[in-house]
Amino acid sequence: MSRKLVVGNWKMHGSRAQVGELLEALKAGSARAQGVGVAVCPPFPYLAQAVGLLAGTDIGVGAQNLAVETAGAYTGEVSGEMLADVGCRYVIVGHSERRTLYGEDSALVARKYKAATEQGLVPILCVGEQLSEREAGTTEQVVAAQLDAVLDLCGEAALASALIAYEPVWAIGTGKVATPEQAQAVHAFIRGRVARGADTPTLLYGGSVKPDNAAGLFVQQDVDGGLIGGASLDADHFLAICEAARS
Ligand code: PEP
């Protein structure tokens, strides 16, 4: 795959003013990301603002979560239909913070994945192991089980050309990045498990990607881009990571 994709996961950060500032800076610096697919995932209240500010640009907008249901008496939930309606292209599903802090298991993540595709959204499926699982040598089993939940519910074709983020949980927000070799090994495993013929997934690495480590990760054969948390809140850092994805 030649064109890399860099996605910013803003988590629960921002205000109207900060969203405006950050997106104006990304637009002003867009030449640094030329040839790279770019998207940002702001919190729900700022999605429509982001879609408006990014209209006419190549920067896509995604949400960080969605409900399984389409509409109804589900207080506090936001459906994929609503996300599509306000102009989202992407939605993150199965982020480790949703899995660990909000008890989302792989079966629920698979239902969210299905709901997203049914609404025409592109799900970004996050998978990854805990530190104890890596140390126990079970990384591949853990990632395989997370993938299998989606394959079982949605079928093989659903993941063959999907957008999947490998995010080792021990590397998220910790400053401990996986080595390029560790990332490459798991990406190759994921590709081998879900690719079907000419259909192959786009594989993002996520976990403490910063301007100074991005190039080493992106140069790996099976790393097609990145899912960026903390560093996506700083326009200069995020653009520097996009720049690293160009080479
Ligand atoms: C993330 O939240 O998806 C993430 C990768 O965070 P960070 O880059 O801050 O580790």
Side-chain angles (χ1 to χ4, degrees):
M1 128 143 216
S2 48
R3 191 177 195 252
K4 296 218 187 296
L5 175 65
V6 178
V7 180
N9 172 16
W10 293 2
K11 312 196 189 199
M12 196 171 73
H13 293 290
S15 63
R16 280 185 68 78
Q18 284 168 343
V19 170
E21 248 171 64
L22 184 46
L23 293 182
E24 289 305 338
L26 292 186
K27 286 200 284 185
S30 63
R32 295 172 67 187
Q34 210 174 1
V36 177
V38 179
V40 292
C41 300
F44 288 136
Y46 306 119
L47 289 171
Q49 182 192 4
V51 168
L53 285 170
L54 295 172
T57 75
D58 288 334
I59 304 175
V61 176
Q64 300 170 19
N65 185 26
L66 83 165
V68 168
E69 299 80 11
T70 307
Y74 302 103
T75 302
E77 292 293 294
V78 175
S79 72
E81 189 172 76
M82 293 169 180
L83 299 177
D85 186 42
V86 299
C88 287
R89 191 185 307 163
Y90 303 98
V91 60
I92 298 171
V93 296
H95 191 280
S96 73
E97 286 152 16
R98 303 280 337 155
R99 292 179 191 262
T100 46
L101 301 175
Y102 300 98
E104 293 193 8
D105 62 13
S106 288
L108 178 60
V109 171
R111 292 173 67 213
K112 291 191 172 196
Y113 188 97
K114 188 163 184 274
T117 57
E118 285 170 354
Q119 296 304 327
L121 296 164
V122 178
I124 302 173
L125 173 65
C126 297
V127 296
E129 81 286 3
Q130 305 276 345
L131 183 59
S132 57
E133 294 166 333
R134 173 159 285 270
E135 287 173 347
T138 58
T139 296
E140 290 190 357
Q141 283 103 298
V142 169
V143 169
Q146 291 169 338
L147 295 170
D148 286 353
V150 178
L151 290 170
D152 290 347
L153 184 71
C154 306
E156 285 190 355
L159 279 192
S161 49
L163 198 39
I164 300 173
Y166 168 56
E167 299 208 306
V169 179
W170 47 271
I172 298 178
T174 59
K176 276 189 216 158
V177 65
T179 66
E181 294 72 25
Q182 286 173 324
Q184 167 58 26
V186 181
H187 282 223
F189 171 75
I190 295 171
R191 196 180 301 286
R193 195 161 183 102
V194 306
R196 293 286 173 274
D199 290 332
T200 193
T202 297
L203 301 177
L204 310 181
Y205 168 79
S208 298
V209 179
K210 307 288 177 206
D212 63 354
N213 61 29
L217 291 157
F218 293 160
V219 83
Q220 298 300 311
Q221 187 181 344
D222 290 293
V223 178
D224 303 320
L227 181 55
I228 318 301
S232 69
L233 296 167
D234 179 305
D236 185 50
H237 288 183
F238 188 62
L239 287 167
I241 292 169
C242 294
E243 243 168 350
R246 292 175 70 181
S247 37

